[in-house]
Amino acid sequence: MRQIIEQTIKKVLKELGVKPVKFSVEHPENMAWGDYTTNVGIITHKAEEIGAKLKAEESLNKIASKIEVKGAGFINISIKSDALVSQVNQVLKGNWEKPLLGKKISVEYTDPNPFKEFHLGHLYSNLIGEAIAKIFEASGVTVWRGNFYGDVGMHVAKSVWGMQQKLTKEKIAIKDLEKKSIKDRQNFLGQGYALGVRAFEEDEKIKKEITELNKKIYDKDESVKEIYEAGLSWSLEYFETYYKRLGTKFDGYYPESKVAVLGKKLVEKGLKKGVLEKSEGAVVFKGEKYGLHTRVFLNKFGLPTYEAKDLGLAQAKYQDFKYDRSLNVFGKEIDEYYRVVKKTLELIEPELGKKAEWLAHGMVKLPEGKMSSRSGNVITADWLLNEAKGLIQKNFKCDDEVAEQIGLGAVKYALLKSGIGQDVIFDFAKSISFEGNSGPYLQYTYARARSVLKKAHLQGDSSQVCEESPYCNQEEEILLRSLVRFEETIVQAAEELAPDVVAKFLYDLAQKFNSFYNKHRVIGNDFRLWLTSATGEILKKGLGLLGISAPEKM
């Protein structure tokens, strides 16, 4: 409907001889002011003339019940009830505006490092990336899900060194660890990493050992092959258990060792083009001339750094998937770092550089404060998910499958309902509550709608179609007018890379449905049954965009 209004306004401006202007068509804050409002009258100082012309336009007359000029020149438009119902029915069938139809976008997210724990930061990145990928797909995009992980680098050397120390001290061998559970093996890796980090920082002799070990790993030295390959295999196997649990399936995996080769070639190209230069045995990009800072792309040992690997990563993904856009999701602490990488890529490979985008998210914290993998007391994603599930089972007495769905829904919604750039403090009590702005509240609202339809002996899916809307009270009208906004919510979320836009819509919709449900008897009234069916279906679709299941019964 927004498109019809925008096109009609442009037509009217042309007929009035007004030069094209940039105007907005939005939903007013108060529904009493109409379904849409435009500022075109304020911008052009011709509100009355434009309003009069709009009233005479046949295309708008088909859907508008009222067009009026208000205040300083806003033009408010109310939509006919039958047009609203028709639009909702189209949405239920999946027929909505898809402005990104045909685009190919690579979304890279999660990016956990083998030999380390899968912590809350990785979980947050995964939930954001997966939600954006789903929102893109709902907007007509072909999405490539990518996962970049550090199978080489100083973190690996620190972990391998720590593992060597633990194996010696505990008098066990790799084959002994192979007999343990994947979780126990991962814990061993995490402990080895923490040990290596502390030793690297505290002892200069050990720091030198770990630095030399790092080069051996890069060179695939036989002396470290067994322990390195075992640790890498265990980590990747462990990460897959998370992806399965979270509902993520990646299209491409990009280890640092693979992209480092491509990155090094791009560094050499950058040297030839004069983008990069040698400095004290290393190869650097001096970003000060671009308002950035200097970064090292090859260290003095000739090894590619993260910066070089990120250059190679962009090329590796494009070789696999000829994307129109490439979006990387990561923590905001590396925001300035990536600005340098993008600028360097733009100068070396302009076509890839201009396609590169990034989304920097905040940190996840518990009330106790920021987590840290350096201390050896990392807060793992596994712990958070299991804790949420356990609290659901304890407080609400549901079976294991439903508790898992609700627990995951609680965590996912709690982390996605806030703006991505903000830090998030995860509060268990609020997150698992069946009241207030929480995942379980939305899931319960969906289950309530399904329960009503079941009692009415209806399946309540998109086949329950109403062609007219004989609403007779405010709650029915408000709910109908809210349902229509789902289509534009998807468009906005895709344009702004903002899953929280979907979360806000769903919470508002659930509140309005529950207000309607609590005041009016549904069974026995066809229109109310249709409203209940439509609300349930849109809640399910919206939760699905956030990666959240909608249990039929709670």
Side-chain angles (χ1 to χ4, degrees), residues 201-234:
E201 294 178 346
E202 297 170 2
D203 191 315
E204 285 298 319
K205 182 180 177 182
I206 294 175
K207 182 176 183 178
K208 185 178 179 182
E209 284 181 30
I210 293 175
T211 302
E212 291 171 354
L213 183 60
N214 183 41
K215 191 169 190 315
K216 286 183 180 180
I217 293 170
Y218 265 104
D219 294 339
K220 299 181 180 179
D221 192 291
E222 285 294 325
S223 66
V224 294
K225 183 178 180 181
E226 181 186 26
I227 191 170
Y228 166 74
E229 290 185 349
L232 178 61
S233 175
W234 299 343

Side-chain angles (χ1 to χ4, degrees), residues 450-471:
R450 295 296 294 164
S451 177
V452 171
L453 297 169
K454 187 175 181 180
K455 288 178 183 177
H457 305 292
L458 293 173
Q459 290 302 308
D461 57 21
S462 58
S463 65
Q464 302 297 319
V465 174
C466 178
E467 295 302 335
E468 298 180 358
S469 68
Y471 57 73

Side-chain angles (χ1 to χ4, degrees), residues 231-268:
L232 178 61
S233 175
W234 299 343
S235 281
L236 298 181
E237 181 184 349
Y238 187 59
F239 293 159
E240 287 299 323
T241 66
Y242 278 106
Y243 304 146
K244 182 177 180 181
R245 187 176 187 181
L246 295 171
T248 299
K249 188 174 182 180
F250 290 102
D251 299 298
Y253 292 87
Y254 299 93
E256 284 188 24
S257 59
K258 174 184 175 181
V259 301
V261 177
L262 294 173
K264 197 168 184 179
K265 290 180 180 177
L266 287 173
V267 168
E268 291 168 358

Side-chain angles (χ1 to χ4, degrees), residues 301-528:
F301 301 107
L303 296 176
T305 59
Y306 282 121
E307 290 83 347
K309 292 167 189 172
D310 265 317
L311 296 181
L313 175 62
Q315 190 171 70
K317 288 188 291 188
Y318 193 72
Q319 287 175 351
D320 291 339
F321 181 72
K322 299 296 186 289
Y323 52 75
D324 299 303
R325 295 166 59 187
S326 176
L327 177 68
N328 293 350
V329 179
F330 47 67
K332 63 183 179 183
E333 67 271 17
I334 62 172
D335 184 75
E336 291 303 315
Y337 154 86
Y338 199 76
R339 292 181 189 278
V340 177
V341 171
K342 177 175 168 62
K343 187 62 182 180
T344 308
L345 184 62
E346 287 175 343
L347 295 170
I348 298 173
E349 290 286 350
E351 285 302 308
L352 286 182
K354 71 180 182 182
K355 296 175 189 289
E357 304 173 30
W358 75 97
L359 184 61
H361 60 74
M363 304 295 292
V364 179
K365 302 176 182 178
L366 297 183
E368 293 78 14
K370 181 180 175 181
M371 62 187 176
S372 172
S373 60
R374 296 168 63 84
S375 66
N377 297 316
V378 60
I379 300 170
T380 67
D382 198 44
W383 175 84
L384 184 72
L385 297 176
N386 290 339
E387 191 76 6
K389 178 181 177 181
L391 288 170
I392 292 291
Q393 285 179 309
K394 178 182 177 181
N395 294 335
F396 304 108
K397 310 298 182 187
C398 51
D399 63 40
D400 190 75
E401 181 180 354
V402 173
E404 173 73 0
Q405 289 180 310
I406 300 173
L408 279 173
V411 172
K412 290 182 176 184
Y413 186 81
L415 298 184
L416 292 173
K417 71 179 182 181
S418 300
I420 286 174
Q422 306 171 20
D423 288 347
V424 179
I425 297 178
F426 184 86
D427 185 303
F428 277 109
K430 292 179 181 178
S431 299
I432 69 168
S433 175
F434 277 57
E435 298 177 356
N437 191 8
S438 71
Y441 171 73
L442 299 181
Q443 290 172 313
Y444 180 73
T445 302
Y446 170 76
R448 168 180 271 184
R450 295 296 294 164
S451 177
V452 171
L453 297 169
K454 187 175 181 180
K455 288 178 183 177
H457 305 292
L458 293 173
Q459 290 302 308
D461 57 21
S462 58
S463 65
Q464 302 297 319
V465 174
C466 178
E467 295 302 335
E468 298 180 358
S469 68
Y471 57 73
C472 59
N473 60 66
Q474 186 180 36
E475 290 75 33
E476 290 173 347
E477 179 185 0
I478 287 174
L479 184 57
L480 173 62
R481 292 168 68 188
S482 297
L483 289 167
V484 172
R485 299 186 181 189
F486 181 57
E487 173 182 8
E488 291 164 12
T489 296
I490 297 173
V491 174
Q492 182 185 350
E495 288 177 346
E496 298 177 7
L497 305 177
D500 62 292
V501 169
V502 175
K504 288 181 177 69
F505 167 83
L506 294 177
Y507 178 51
D508 180 69
L509 179 64
Q511 286 182 302
K512 287 171 178 171
F513 172 76
N514 284 318
S515 177
F516 152 77
Y517 175 85
N518 290 331
K519 290 185 179 181
H520 305 289
R521 178 177 173 80
V522 174
I523 296 176
N525 183 301
D526 287 345
F527 178 62
R528 291 177 189 169

Side-chain angles (χ1 to χ4, degrees), residues 114-117 158-178 180-196 198 227-228 230-231 234-235 238 376:
F115 298 89
K116 297 175 69 174
E117 289 283 8
K158 291 170 187 175
S159 187
V160 169
W161 184 90
M163 288 170 66
Q164 288 174 331
Q165 303 307 305
K166 284 178 64 63
L167 288 169
T168 301
K169 184 178 179 180
E170 297 172 20
K171 298 180 180 179
I172 55 176
I174 291 294
K175 63 181 180 182
D176 298 317
L177 288 171
E178 291 284 4
K180 294 182 177 291
S181 70
I182 186 61
K183 187 173 182 179
D184 286 341
R185 283 178 269 158
Q186 183 64 21
N187 287 337
F188 184 88
L189 295 180
Q191 292 165 11
Y193 173 73
L195 180 63
R198 287 194 296 270
I227 191 170
Y228 166 74
W234 299 343
S235 281
Y238 187 59

